[in-house]
Amino acid sequence: MKNILNSQILYGAKWSRRAALAGVLLAAGLLAGGCGSSRVGFTQTGQGSYYADKFNGRPTASGAIYRPGKMTAAHNTLPFGTRIRVTNVRNGRSVKVTVNDRGPHVAGRIVDVSGKAANQLDLKRAGVVPVRLEVIGAAPRAARR
């Protein structure tokens, strides 16, 4: 009887730990999901910057090679392939880019754009400018990760 009771307590404790872990993972997923929705119309404001030329030819997080002449961007949470409109709020200029990398990895920045996009936004001289981004096209299903 004692062995049965001990195994039930141990078994119950095991399930309690699993339930707690599941709750923590669910909460983390909900928080992360709220940080960057790929739904069309999602907007975010913050600081934007651009990739330095030293990254030319290097692979991005999606596996694509970074090319400064392409209209691409890095975002920390939006799925790869998501189309976004990035607007320089200082001058009103905007560009449409595709998310193919993770970053920026600097506090307060929400997007890094390619060299071509940075030129069109007129942010290269400043380096960092306030921007507004809006999701204008969800990532293709196969590209979401």
Side-chain angles (χ1 to χ4, degrees), residues 35-49 73-79 82-89 93-99 103-104 108-113 121 129-137:
C35 293
S37 172
S38 63
R39 289 186 316 213
V40 173
F42 168 79
T43 61
Q44 188 177 20
T45 58
Q47 298 293 310
S49 54
H75 190 276
N76 280 315
T77 57
L78 291 174
T82 302
R83 297 278 296 155
I84 58 175
R85 178 183 299 114
V86 180
T87 304
N88 178 338
V89 298
R93 292 183 182 189
S94 66
V95 295
K96 295 176 184 175
V97 293
T98 303
V99 174
R109 296 192 194 169
I110 62 168
V111 69
D112 271 338
V113 296
L121 289 169
V129 297
V131 296
R132 178 179 184 271
L133 70 81
E134 178 182 5
V135 173
I136 56 173

Side-chain angles (χ1 to χ4, degrees), residues 17-34:
R17 283 192 300 271
R18 286 183 182 168
L21 179 60
V24 167
L25 293 175
L26 177 62
L30 291 173
L31 287 173

